[in-house]
């Protein structure tokens, strides 16, 4: 994560925690292309609902990094802003409670929803000072990845009361283990976009779109996250570092993502990445040998 990213995250964390929350929504950044205004505006409104105005300001500040950047047009900025808002509004139990309450406000019929989480996800929503000892205990008994079903109901007074309690925990979200992980991920994704713009501009859309690999919660979320890191660490980062002379990073990322889809154990993905790397290095060696 860049120094600017760390300082921005900390500034908005403390503003939210100590109650210095400005009710006025952040202004759209200067120089924002007209085509991106509605996308960024939607992101601001989503993140105010999700966490608060200071969190939405963090989003705006992140968008600002790419305004007037060489190689970033309005369409690309829209893609960055849309996917970043989606990831910043990650799906945790607090968010699902918010959405169930919003269904009632929108006049939808009452319903009960059962979601599968892993224990580490549930504990990860707690402040780190409370959650880390629990995770250590879960590791001891081998339950960190154990699945558990959670009921979210807006069909009864008891269920609605529970949803309100869960949604109220958003105040502590920015203290949580999960928030620290998500903050680091967003910053790494933005850093990879910046490196692509400099090192291999044609691959920038593929790097941006890679955020779509990560969604939801439970095992699908963890699998997508692991696949993303495998592709970035195995293909994108070494290409940007100059260690892998990969001329078509976008094509290689698409090939790797296709291999990841049917195999959640990463066997096919790791094989595909290894084959791409071997093929690329062999071609470079042959070219050097004449």
């Amino acid at each position: 994560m860049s120094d600017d990213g760390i300082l921005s995250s900390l500034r908005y964390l403390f503003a939210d925690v100590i109650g210095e929350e400005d009710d006025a929504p952040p202004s759209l950044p200067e120089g924002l292309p007209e085509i991106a205004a509605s996308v960024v505006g939607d992101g601001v409104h989503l993140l105010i609902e999700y966490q608060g105005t200071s969190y939405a300001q963090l989003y705006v500040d992140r968008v600002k990094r790419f305004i007037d950047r060489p190689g970033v047009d309005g369409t690309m900025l829209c893609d960055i802003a849309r996917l970043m808002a989606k990831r910043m509004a990650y799906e945790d139990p607090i968010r699902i409670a918010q959405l169930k309450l919003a269904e009632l406000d929108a006049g939808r019929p009452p319903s009960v929803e059962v979601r599968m989480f892993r224990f580490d996800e549930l504990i990860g929503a707690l402040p780190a000072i409370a959650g880390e000892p629990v995770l250590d205990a879960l590791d001891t008994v081998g339950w960190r990845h154990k699945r558990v079903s959670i009921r979210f109901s807006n069909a009864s007074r008891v269920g609605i009361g529970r949803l309100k309690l869960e949604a109220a925990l958003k105040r502590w979200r920015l203290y949580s283990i999960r928030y620290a992980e998500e903050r680091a991920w967003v910053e790494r994704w933005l850093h990879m976009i910046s490196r692509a713009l400099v090192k291999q501009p044609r691959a920038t859309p593929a790097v941006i779109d890679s955020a779509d690999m990560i969604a939801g919660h439970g095992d699908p979320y963890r699998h997508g996250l692991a696949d993303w890191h495998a592709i970035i660490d195995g293909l994108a980062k070494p290409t940007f570092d100059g260690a892998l002379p990969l001329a078509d990073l976008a094509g290689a990322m698409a090939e790797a993502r296709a291999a990841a889809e049917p195999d959640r154990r990463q066997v096919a993905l790791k094989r595909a990445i290894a084959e791409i790397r071997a093929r690329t290095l062999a071609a470079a060696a042959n070219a050097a040998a004449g």
Side-chain angles (χ1 to χ4, degrees), residues 58-222:
L58 172 59
Y59 166 75
V60 169
D61 283 356
R62 284 168 165 169
V63 171
K64 284 180 184 177
R65 301 181 201 173
F66 294 92
I67 295 176
D68 294 330
R69 279 282 297 271
V72 179
D73 59 13
T75 300
M76 184 177 289
L77 194 61
C78 284
D79 291 339
I80 294 170
R82 175 180 57 82
L83 288 168
M84 179 161 52
K86 181 180 175 182
R87 281 303 329 136
M88 288 180 69
Y90 57 87
E91 205 168 71
D92 60 3
I94 302 169
R95 179 57 176 163
I96 296 171
Q98 289 176 316
L99 293 173
K100 293 301 289 182
L101 290 170
E103 288 177 6
L104 289 181
D105 293 339
R108 293 177 58 182
S111 63
V112 177
E113 201 170 337
V114 177
R115 301 282 193 111
M116 292 295 296
F117 287 91
R118 296 184 349 175
F119 270 133
D120 57 348
E121 275 186 298
L122 295 177
I123 304 305
L126 298 174
I129 193 170
E132 288 173 351
V134 178
L135 288 177
D136 290 341
L138 289 173
D139 281 333
T140 300
V141 297
W143 281 15
R144 176 186 278 258
H145 299 159
K146 187 176 177 66
R147 298 173 187 84
V148 59
S149 61
I150 303 295
R151 193 170 183 264
F152 296 88
S153 171
N154 58 16
S156 69
R157 267 195 280 181
V158 172
I160 293 170
R162 179 180 157 188
L163 291 175
K164 288 180 177 178
L165 284 173
E166 290 168 333
L169 292 174
K170 81 171 191 177
R171 188 69 175 178
W172 303 99
R173 185 189 266 136
L174 302 189
Y175 272 131
S176 71
I177 299 167
R178 175 73 182 275
Y179 173 71
E181 294 171 348
E182 290 288 341
R183 183 188 67 205
W185 183 87
V186 171
E187 289 296 337
R188 190 178 192 211
W189 174 63
L190 295 176
H191 178 61
M192 288 297 152
I193 295 170
S194 292
R195 295 200 72 189
L197 286 166
V198 174
K199 298 290 186 177
Q200 198 167 130
R202 288 180 302 166
T204 305
V207 175
I208 294 169
D209 186 60
S210 69
D212 258 340
M213 296 176 65
I214 306 169
H217 59 272
D219 287 339
Y221 165 81
R222 292 294 174 182

Side-chain angles (χ1 to χ4, degrees), residues 12 16 21-22 24-27 29 40-63 84 88 174:
Y12 301 118
D16 190 75
E21 183 77 48
D22 185 353
S27 301
V40 176
D42 288 346
V44 167
H45 291 304
L46 168 64
L47 295 170
I48 289 174
E49 173 196 305
Y50 181 84
Q51 186 63 39
T53 56
S54 62
Y55 195 54
Q57 183 64 58
L58 172 59
Y59 166 75
V60 169
D61 283 356
R62 284 168 165 169
V63 171
M84 179 161 52
M88 288 180 69
L174 302 189

Side-chain angles (χ1 to χ4, degrees), residues 211-280:
D212 258 340
M213 296 176 65
I214 306 169
H217 59 272
D219 287 339
Y221 165 81
R222 292 294 174 182
H223 288 318
L225 184 64
D227 290 348
W228 185 86
H229 280 296
I231 291 172
I232 294 300
D233 291 336
L235 299 175
K237 185 178 184 300
T239 297
F240 300 151
D241 289 345
L244 185 67
L246 189 55
D248 183 13
L249 175 59
M253 290 181 67
E255 183 180 341
R257 288 183 65 172
E261 289 301 323
D263 180 12
R264 307 314 303 175
R265 297 172 302 166
Q266 286 197 320
V267 174
L269 173 60
K270 289 177 180 178
R271 183 187 304 118
I273 291 172
E275 289 174 354
I276 292 167
R277 289 176 59 88
R279 189 169 67 228
T280 302

